[in-house]
Amino acid sequence: MGLIWTITELIVFLALLLGLGLLTALIFEAFRRTQLINSTDESIAIFEDPRSLKKVPTPRLSDPAEKYVSLIIPAFNEEHRLPGALTETVNYLQQRAAKDKSFSFEVIIVDDGSADGTKNVAFDFVRKYTVDNVRVVLLGRNHGKGEAIRMGMLHSHGELLLMLDADGATKVNDLEKLENQIQALSKMEILSANAVQRGSGSKVSDIPVAAFGSRAHLEEKALATRKLYRNFLMKGFHLVVILTAGPGIRDTQCGFKMFTRAAAGKLFRNMRLKRWCFDVELVYLCKRLSVPMLEISVNWSEIPGSKVNLMSTLNMLWELALMSIGYRTGMWHIYT
């Protein structure tokens, strides 16, 4: 009996030690990220045009918009899936620009430290469509999807900024659904402001609005086809998200989101999570910064080659814990 108690005490001691070590690591990392928040916000990145080899300065979000829409595509080892998605995306944008002369666009591919030929694929598109329409951001090493999108957003020209995945799981023309809803809400805000302050010159890009593409309408079908353990993990993750960021958005993880320039300026200068759970942080920041959120159903299809695995799940839990500590202790100040 004494041996059993000794083993139990040892297990409890090791569990407490592990818990204390994990808490210490979380607090240390949360504190470290308070120091990093301003390191790249207003930096000016320089990119080389592969056609002319000239240096091309890129904008900051504090600069006036020069394009109607910017599409930010994070890419990590996407040599095989990126060409098809890019071709479809640019074809759609060109067709729309041909019909509407006021429509201007840019596609920003953020290579998140790929070890394959992603960079070469991206620069081939720059050569074909010119640096005015397609640009490449090279992060050098892998930082995570959240950081890749953040850097793309911080150096965009658009009045509207759309993030979308490199696999083409959501069709690019669904951006019109998000765009129309943003336009409608922004115009209502502008009319309301004009009623209070006559002569206001606000534009849609000046009104902070975030539109979240959503696959929530597909959830019933997904539950029926997924394995039991995956449904359990999904439900568990949704519960943790609600506890961390609060209710409001049913599908936080869809990689198809649009922001006005004003909303992007508020959100991405404050974002600290770098990998899979940055979407949850965006929801939290929208609430704290009073940025209206729209959740809009989009078409979505499963594309082979997903990078979500067990390590991704563990990283999600780490980031959610990190976010909870960072904001709830006040270590992560929100800049307005």
Side-chain angles (χ1 to χ4, degrees):
M1 190 69 177
L3 179 62
I4 294 175
W5 276 111
T6 301
I7 293 173
T8 302
E9 289 173 349
L10 180 62
I11 291 172
V12 170
F13 174 75
L14 291 175
L16 290 172
L17 192 64
L18 179 63
L20 181 61
L22 183 60
L23 181 61
T24 302
L26 282 166
I27 292 173
F28 174 79
E29 180 62 17
F31 178 76
R32 190 179 72 86
R33 295 196 187 190
T34 65
Q35 310 301 314
L36 295 177
I37 186 63
N38 286 320
S39 62
T40 56
D41 281 358
E42 293 300 320
S43 63
I44 301 177
I46 302 293
F47 304 101
E48 188 176 86
D49 182 350
R51 299 179 74 181
S52 65
L53 301 182
K54 292 181 178 179
K55 301 295 183 181
V56 180
T58 58
R60 298 170 296 182
L61 273 175
S62 55
D63 297 334
E66 295 181 12
K67 300 280 187 178
Y68 175 67
V69 64
S70 297
L71 280 70
I72 291 89
I73 303 177
F76 176 62
N77 293 341
E78 293 288 0
E79 177 184 7
H80 300 294
R81 299 196 297 180
L82 187 60
L86 272 178
T87 298
E88 182 178 332
T89 296
V90 177
N91 285 345
Y92 163 79
L93 294 169
Q94 286 187 320
Q95 289 169 11
R96 185 163 169 187
K99 295 176 183 177
D100 181 1
K101 299 304 179 185
S102 66
F103 181 84
S104 57
F105 69 89
E106 66 175 353
V107 177
I108 302 172
I109 306 153
V110 186
D111 182 357
D112 188 23
S114 298
D116 65 356
T118 297
K119 178 176 71 172
N120 297 330
V121 169
F123 276 117
D124 284 343
F125 275 81
V126 180
R127 293 184 186 95
K128 184 175 181 180
Y129 296 106
T130 78
V131 75
D132 185 55
N133 291 317
V134 182
R135 282 190 287 117
V136 181
V137 178
L138 301 175
L139 297 190
R141 62 179 178 85
N142 181 253
H143 291 265
K145 182 180 178 181
E147 181 65 6
I149 289 171
R150 189 175 92 96
M151 287 302 295
M153 291 282 177
L154 289 176
H155 298 295
S156 299
H157 289 94
E159 295 180 34
L160 299 176
L161 297 91
L162 176 75
M163 52 168 273
L164 67 164
D165 289 339
D167 60 6
T170 302
K171 296 302 180 184
V172 65
N173 58 2
D174 270 3
L175 74 83
E176 295 175 27
K177 295 181 180 180
L178 279 62
E179 172 192 0
N180 292 338
Q181 294 278 358
I182 284 179
Q183 291 276 7
L185 181 58
S186 298
K187 287 173 182 176
M188 287 177 59
E189 294 286 339
I190 291 170
L191 288 173
S192 176
N194 285 344
V196 176
Q197 183 178 355
R198 187 178 298 276
S200 173
S202 296
K203 301 178 294 184
V204 169
S205 59
D206 299 327
I207 308 299
V209 183
F212 292 71
S214 176
R215 305 158 297 182
H217 61 295
L218 303 172
E219 185 173 338
E220 187 175 335
K221 180 180 178 181
L223 287 171
T225 56
R226 280 200 193 107
K227 293 182 179 179
L228 184 62
Y229 79 92
R230 290 193 66 188
N231 287 331
F232 176 77
L233 289 174
M234 183 189 72
K235 290 294 185 181
F237 179 75
H238 286 173
L239 176 61
V240 174
V241 167
I242 290 173
L243 292 173
T244 306
I249 299 296
R250 292 172 62 195
D251 181 11
T252 58
Q253 301 309 111
C254 181
F256 200 80
K257 298 178 176 68
M258 181 177 280
F259 309 89
T260 60
R261 195 169 186 81
K266 287 174 174 284
L267 299 172
F268 289 95
R269 288 197 183 96
N270 280 291
M271 198 180 85
R272 287 158 168 102
L273 297 187
K274 297 179 181 295
R275 294 194 179 274
W276 296 103
C277 281
F278 75 95
D279 309 80
V280 180
E281 187 180 15
L282 287 174
V283 173
Y284 180 83
L285 287 171
C286 281
K287 293 180 178 182
R288 289 288 302 272
L289 292 165
S290 300
V291 175
M293 294 182 292
L294 303 166
E295 186 169 15
I296 301 157
S297 298
V298 295
N299 297 303
W300 185 85
S301 55
E302 185 83 41
I303 304 295
S306 172
K307 296 181 176 63
V308 179
N309 51 37
L310 177 60
M311 288 303 298
S312 305
T313 304
L314 294 175
N315 182 264
M316 287 178 182
L317 294 175
W318 167 265
E319 287 203 321
L320 288 174
L322 189 63
M323 173 181 155
S324 183
I325 288 176
Y327 286 118
R328 295 185 194 285
T329 62
M331 275 194 285
W332 290 3
H333 178 70
I334 296 178
Y335 298 87
T336 57

